[in-house]
Amino acid sequence: MNLESSVLATAALALLAAVLVLTRRLPLRLRGALVLGAAAILLALGARIYLRSDLDALRAGLVDHPVQHPEGGYASSSECRACHTRQFESWHASFHRSMTQRPSESSVNGDFTASLALDGERTTLSRERGRYLVDMPRPAWWRLPGSGGRIQRPVELVTGSHHYQVYWISSGNSTVLAQLPFVWLVQERRWVPRRSVFIAPPEELGDEYGRWNSSCIRCHSTNGRPNLDRGPPEIARSTVSEFGIACESCHGPGATHASAMRNPLRRYAAHLGIAEETGMANPGKLSNERASHVCAQCHSINGPTREEYQHWLKSGFRYRPGDDLAQTRGIHEEGSANPDPGYFWPDGMVRVTGREYHGVRASPCFAGGNFGCLSCHALHKPAADPRSLHEWRNAQLKHFDQRNGRCLQCHQPLREAEALQAHTRHRAISSGAECVNCHMPHTAYGLGKAARSHQITNPDVAADLAAGRPNACNLCHVDQTLDWTARHLTDWYGKRRPALDRDQTEIAASLLLLHQGDAGQRALAAFSMGWAPARAVAGEGWMLPHLLHAYDDRYEVLGLVAYRALRQFAAGKTLSSEFLSLPMEARRAAVEKALKLAALPLPDRRRLIGAGGKVDEAEVQRLRAARDNRAMILME
Amino acid sequence: MMETDPRVVRRHFLFGWGLLASFLALGLVLEMLHGLKIQWYLSMANETRRLLWTLAHAHGVLLGLLNVVYALSLRNFAVRSRRLNLVSGLLIGGSLALPSGFLLGGIIVHGGDPNAFIALSPVGGVLLVSAVPMAVYDFMRRE
């Protein structure tokens, strides 16, 4: 009970005591007034406790989850909605909004009637009076006393709604959250163990105790304030201005602006262009560099500078949209000598999703100053965009009526079909004449799929091979060798032709990566086999048995990537997501059944297809024996 | 008992029923916009328009009924105030301006703000707020 409540309670008790002590001496009316006064104070006290804000409860140590409370000049999106209805609508439809939510009927996608097994232990999920509950084996982080080997915890926050949904449960220690060891796959509508969705050695994936308060809060909420005391014991009293990535993440704190704009004369003056709307950052009006910094808050690899660290730990970041991000954050250099292999290819190009700023910054287009994130992306769907919100929100890309419109904003000469054909050596209507397929290939990995590199480059077998990265040509021509690609690039564009070994000359580049590559390379190869342009170019049947090899991979997520690829094949459409939980032999049987529906592939050394349309298992085993098996963690 | 000027009674009957019919018809239009899921009316970006037109429909219908009730009252209780024409004019002007402001103000909206026609609504409100006490006073002072 805080001071205010204590004073109220004391006053009420004093009044009641006075009535009892002086009961015979006081006139009836005065006694009545005193009793009524005491009752009114008690009522106020009750209301005060009942209507206690989350923040009050947090300060009193009564809540065990981070609390939403706008402060520090933040107002929350509900204030913005009153005037910026169109922008609010598109933001509301976006996956930014739903990045972090409190659990509710509308926010929870997962099946909370499930009973899940992992390593011989069972986790049971349930709903009770609007709460989402987890009954699970007692984890290592549980420090409170309790009987038996199990704990029951409520879900307090939900992360994601696009690809995965992750659930955070209260840990019993202040507002520190811990992650449920299962993840809901939105597309497949099923639970899988957390270790099955990340490229990391299963034994190295921790239990993610405290991760939300120290890490996720940075980008999955608006103006997150970790309020962390590293202890020991570690204590958190984390608050955010708003759960999810809301208006003020990109436009800055809005309380002053909202307050000023409550005046209708000021609003109409702004509508009529007589007065400027002030007090907010508009990334669309910032320089490309500063606008890209707004995105880079989250879409780059960065951390607080030494000077910023203590402020961050207590009160969050000082960066506000429009500022120079580098003043308060240390942003990793993408071209540094020893790039972190969890984020970068050896040559410094980013290899994970969600960190696109580095690719943009390293692109030649960015150096000119006329290019940034907003050159291609529209964070609010423009009124003239004919697509539905549902279509727009997937990548939040600008709409152009013309194919390659994003690049043609600057590269005007390629607007003509003849020029495009001469440049690409592909028919103008083909996928090979789409700028992004050659210059932004799928060489980044995350969320169970490959994503386009945001570093705009030219295909170059020598450079890509040196970095261990698949080249753009062989991500589409998955049945062709590196030698084939190098020959064409030399003939067409005068590219340097690297020295290649026998396998690189004889076997399809995708198969070398799928069977020999590291876990990240294997995932990219499996994804590319399911990619529609690749299947159209290289055919389907021969790839199915190769994909089967991904299912017994030590990295379980390879099974998910391969399943998603397989589902794109005409023969794989019959496979349901139950496939993911089948034992290996049953998966093999299901794929072999699907194979019977596909046309028998012709023998082809390049595709490692032997006589009778069967995979050349001896060759596959030879390649697998030379596989890059070093432990790998990709920090998607 | 002297009758109220029948021209005033007739004026309010005609105006009241006319207003009622018009804004009931608007209600049908709004239902149709719901039925056909017209995003120009229903989407989150257009919630200002939806609110204004809902207000126009509700106010128009209620003010139409008010005018009919006023006409019935004048017919049943003779009012021979010198202000009768003034009250009648204020009531009709207010009943027309208030819902029209909502309706016209919602056709084109600027973010969360209606267009300049919305100024009709407070003007109509002032006319009605002026007319109603005078009408009540006149009924109380009737012969």
Side-chain angles (χ1 to χ4, degrees):
Chain A
M1 188 179 281
N2 61 20
L3 182 68
E4 193 183 327
S5 305
S6 306
V7 170
L8 281 172
T10 310
L13 288 174
L15 285 176
L16 287 172
V19 172
L20 287 172
V21 171
L22 305 170
T23 188
R24 290 180 184 282
R25 295 186 203 169
L26 291 176
L28 188 63
R29 281 188 177 179
L30 189 55
R31 265 188 281 157
L34 286 174
V35 170
L36 279 177
I41 292 172
L42 286 173
L43 197 66
L45 185 63
R48 177 89 182 82
I49 292 168
Y50 183 73
L51 300 173
R52 186 200 296 269
S53 73
D54 281 353
L55 190 65
D56 291 336
L58 178 79
R59 285 178 182 145
L62 296 176
V63 292
D64 52 6
H65 59 83
V67 157
Q68 182 170 276
H69 178 76
E71 59 182 279
Y74 283 76
S76 95
S77 56
S78 57
E79 290 268 356
C80 311
R81 177 182 191 170
C83 295
H84 304 281
T85 48
R86 182 169 289 281
Q87 290 82 357
F88 183 90
E89 182 188 43
S90 55
W91 166 75
H92 194 270
S94 76
F95 296 110
H96 277 130
R97 177 189 65 84
S98 51
M99 188 53 87
T100 301
Q101 299 176 92
R102 292 279 289 149
S104 70
E105 189 81 48
S106 60
S107 66
V108 171
N109 290 340
D111 171 15
F112 266 75
T113 59
S115 181
L116 309 165
L118 180 64
D119 300 331
E121 303 266 21
R122 193 151 281 281
T123 295
T124 307
L125 309 175
S126 61
R127 281 192 68 185
E128 193 179 299
R129 283 176 290 175
R131 301 204 81 186
Y132 293 80
L133 303 173
V134 178
D135 182 298
M136 63 192 287
R138 186 175 171 148
W141 47 260
W142 184 253
R143 297 194 180 95
L144 296 175
S147 58
R150 300 187 69 80
I151 61 167
Q152 289 77 38
R153 304 305 300 159
V155 172
E156 297 292 0
L157 288 182
V158 177
T159 296
S161 59
H162 193 183
H163 303 285
Y164 304 152
Q165 193 159 65
V166 169
Y167 300 86
W168 299 93
I169 55 179
S170 66
S171 70
N173 168 23
S174 57
T175 66
V176 174
L177 300 178
Q179 199 180 101
L180 182 71
F182 292 89
V183 168
W184 178 257
L185 299 179
V186 174
Q187 192 182 320
E188 286 78 15
R189 299 194 50 74
R190 66 181 299 110
W191 293 103
V192 291
R194 202 170 65 82
R195 68 184 183 205
S196 303
V197 295
F198 294 105
I199 290 193
E203 64 278 6
E204 288 189 33
L205 272 178
D207 54 17
E208 300 291 5
Y209 170 82
R211 167 80 79 172
W212 197 91
N213 308 75
S214 63
S215 184
C216 305
I217 191 174
R218 295 180 186 191
C219 284
H220 291 180
S221 69
T222 304
N223 188 33
R225 296 175 295 276
N227 209 351
L228 271 175
D229 180 349
R230 290 289 192 191
E234 188 176 64
I235 300 285
R237 298 261 184 264
S238 308
T239 62
V240 300
S241 285
E242 194 164 356
F243 288 125
I245 300 144
C247 318
E248 290 162 299
S249 291
C250 302
H251 297 285
T256 309
H257 169 81
S259 170
M261 286 302 181
R262 283 198 187 95
N263 179 344
L265 296 177
R266 214 181 266 245
R267 288 203 307 280
Y268 279 95
H271 293 321
L272 295 169
I274 299 167
E276 280 281 304
E277 289 179 32
T278 55
M280 301 302 292
N282 182 346
K285 293 179 180 172
L286 295 173
S287 69
N288 277 309
E289 186 189 13
R290 288 293 167 92
S292 300
H293 280 188
V294 174
C295 310
Q297 292 179 79
C298 298
H299 291 277
S300 74
I301 302 145
N302 72 69
T305 57
R306 192 185 299 272
E307 301 75 36
E308 178 78 351
Y309 183 72
Q310 287 304 326
H311 188 276
W312 142 248
L313 212 56
K314 183 80 184 157
S315 312
F317 287 117
R318 263 183 282 226
Y319 170 81
R320 297 289 177 262
D323 293 350
D324 178 1
L325 186 65
Q327 291 296 313
T328 48
R329 309 266 186 110
I331 307 173
H332 279 42
E333 287 295 328
E334 48 276 5
S336 61
N338 292 304
D340 184 336
Y343 292 110
F344 296 99
W345 294 102
D347 64 354
M349 186 186 289
V350 166
R351 68 179 298 181
V352 291
T353 56
R355 314 290 179 175
E356 292 78 7
Y357 173 73
H358 296 279
V360 172
R361 186 166 70 169
S363 297
C365 307
F366 188 76
N370 294 320
F371 177 81
C373 308
L374 299 181
S375 301
C376 300
H377 290 275
L379 273 293
H380 295 292
K381 188 174 92 71
D385 186 338
R387 294 171 301 172
S388 69
L389 282 169
H390 195 77
E391 287 173 276
W392 157 83
R393 71 176 182 166
N394 193 41
Q396 299 191 319
L397 284 166
K398 277 185 180 173
H399 173 76
F400 292 90
D401 289 331
Q402 193 174 2
R403 199 158 173 251
N404 291 328
R406 279 177 280 282
C407 303
L408 294 177
Q409 292 177 89
C410 295
H411 301 275
Q412 291 281 346
L414 295 175
R415 199 173 284 276
E416 301 305 325
E418 295 78 20
L420 185 63
Q421 265 175 214
H423 171 72
T424 63
R425 311 293 178 121
H426 288 75
R427 282 181 300 131
I429 53 159
S430 71
S431 57
E434 271 186 56
C435 308
V436 289
N437 285 343
C438 298
H439 299 290
M440 295 178 70
H442 290 93
T443 57
Y445 172 81
L447 302 165
K449 63 190 181 101
R452 290 194 183 280
S453 165
H454 277 57
Q455 185 165 337
I456 298 165
T457 53
N458 294 323
D460 184 335
V461 174
D464 290 327
L465 191 60
R469 189 173 46 238
N471 68 72
C473 309
N474 288 120
L475 283 174
C476 196
H477 296 278
V478 287
D479 59 338
Q480 294 294 352
T481 65
L482 285 173
D483 183 59
W484 175 88
T485 304
R487 263 190 289 122
H488 279 87
L489 291 178
T490 305
D491 293 348
W492 291 348
Y493 305 108
K495 288 278 179 192
R496 181 169 59 92
R497 199 169 165 187
L500 300 171
D501 64 25
R502 192 174 162 201
D503 285 345
Q504 289 162 340
T505 309
E506 294 181 356
I507 298 172
S510 63
L511 293 180
L512 295 181
L513 284 183
L514 187 72
H515 296 303
Q516 282 190 317
D518 65 30
Q521 293 167 330
R522 299 200 291 275
L524 295 182
F527 171 86
S528 66
M529 289 182 167
W531 189 43
R535 286 183 290 109
V537 166
E540 294 191 348
W542 67 276
M543 289 192 266
L544 285 165
H546 286 293
L547 277 174
L548 190 58
H549 282 280
Y551 295 116
D552 60 354
D553 204 289
R554 174 170 171 247
Y555 294 80
E556 292 175 16
V557 68
L558 265 294
L560 175 63
V561 180
Y563 165 75
R564 286 178 170 174
L566 201 54
R567 285 276 299 159
Q568 306 305 314
F569 290 73
K573 298 253 183 268
T574 53
L575 299 175
S576 76
S577 62
E578 292 294 326
F579 179 84
L580 289 168
S581 56
L582 295 176
M584 190 54 208
E585 278 315 307
R587 288 184 180 189
R588 194 180 296 278
V591 172
E592 277 168 3
K593 190 176 163 194
L595 267 172
K596 285 180 187 154
L597 300 175
L600 200 63
L602 297 171
D604 187 338
R605 159 80 179 145
R606 226 175 44 231
R607 299 171 174 182
L608 298 182
I609 299 294
K614 299 270 186 193
V615 166
D616 185 343
E617 287 293 339
E619 274 293 88
V620 168
Q621 291 312 321
R622 181 181 68 80
L623 294 177
R624 288 184 63 148
R627 173 178 282 187
D628 181 350
N629 274 323
R630 74 199 146 102
M632 159 159 275
I633 300 180
L634 286 186
M635 313 290 282
E636 51 180 288
Chain B
M1 188 176 72
M2 299 289 287
E3 280 189 359
T4 309
D5 183 349
R7 286 174 303 173
V8 178
V9 174
R10 182 181 156 76
R11 187 194 305 157
H12 279 280
F13 265 128
L14 283 176
F15 176 74
W17 282 116
L19 198 66
L20 190 61
S22 306
F23 282 92
L24 278 177
L26 174 65
L28 276 179
V29 173
L30 300 189
E31 282 175 22
M32 187 196 74
L33 293 173
H34 272 283
L36 299 177
K37 301 286 177 210
I38 304 296
Q39 293 305 302
W40 188 70
Y41 178 67
L42 288 181
S43 77
M44 204 178 267
N46 293 315
E47 61 184 12
T48 308
R49 177 175 297 120
R50 192 166 68 250
L51 174 67
L52 287 165
W53 285 7
T54 308
L55 284 170
H57 167 61
H59 280 86
V61 168
L62 284 172
L63 289 169
L65 285 173
L66 179 76
N67 277 277
V68 172
V69 169
Y70 183 64
L72 285 171
S73 305
L74 289 178
R75 198 173 66 180
N76 290 320
F77 306 104
V79 173
R80 294 184 55 76
S81 164
R82 281 180 298 168
R83 282 195 304 253
L84 187 61
N85 275 323
L86 172 67
V87 172
S88 169
L90 289 174
L91 207 54
I92 287 176
S95 300
L96 196 60
L98 195 139
S100 301
F102 289 133
L103 182 64
L104 299 173
I107 293 174
I108 295 169
V109 293
H110 308 282
D113 288 320
N115 65 46
F117 278 111
I118 194 63
L120 286 172
S121 290
V123 169
V126 169
L127 297 182
L128 288 169
V129 164
S130 313
V132 170
M134 283 194 267
V136 171
Y137 183 77
D138 289 346
F139 279 117
M140 288 171 70
R141 294 289 304 271
R142 72 186 189 278
E143 290 172 11

